[in-house]
Amino acid sequence: MRREQAFSERRACGLMETAVSSYRYQRRGGGDGLRQALVELARERPRFGYRRLHVLLRREGAAVNHKRVWRLYREEGLALRRKKRKHCARARPQAASSATVLAVTGRSVTKLLV
């Protein structure tokens, strides 16, 4: 739009209702080395989650944010699979019937209702 209409940068951003800082934003590079280090650590220690891998990366000297580690961890498909809970078949005690309860307590139905 700016090139077509010969507006200033500030004017063009104002017309599109975007911040000038968003227009000028350039992404920082250098994520490839971190990604490779994360994948290598995850392959060495497959049972470690992203939190423990983040600690290991910090110990190696990488100044990295835990949110970036989480994003790269998910993008690489390294997320741990959660174990399903094993349900064992147990013999459940049967619920006591009302006749059994009355027999055990020794009370009549009229006393319970009153």
Side-chain angles (χ1 to χ4, degrees), residues 85-92:
R85 185 175 172 201
K86 295 181 182 179
H87 297 283
C88 52
R90 296 181 191 167
R92 295 184 183 181

Side-chain angles (χ1 to χ4, degrees), residues 23-55:
Y23 177 75
R24 293 180 182 169
Y25 176 77
Q26 292 182 352
R27 187 175 171 188
R28 295 182 199 169
D32 295 333
L34 177 64
R35 186 181 300 264
Q36 291 298 329
L38 181 65
V39 169
E40 287 175 19
L41 282 173
R43 289 204 175 120
E44 289 173 15
R45 297 175 174 88
R47 298 305 305 162
F48 279 19
Y50 85 97
R51 291 178 193 263
R52 289 174 77 179
L53 292 174
H54 173 253
V55 171

Side-chain angles (χ1 to χ4, degrees), residues 109-114:
V109 175
T110 56
K111 287 184 179 178
L112 289 176
L113 294 176
V114 177

Side-chain angles (χ1 to χ4, degrees), residues 97-114:
S97 65
S98 59
T100 308
V101 173
L102 290 176
V104 170
T105 58
R107 297 183 183 177
S108 67
V109 175
T110 56
K111 287 184 179 178
L112 289 176
L113 294 176
V114 177

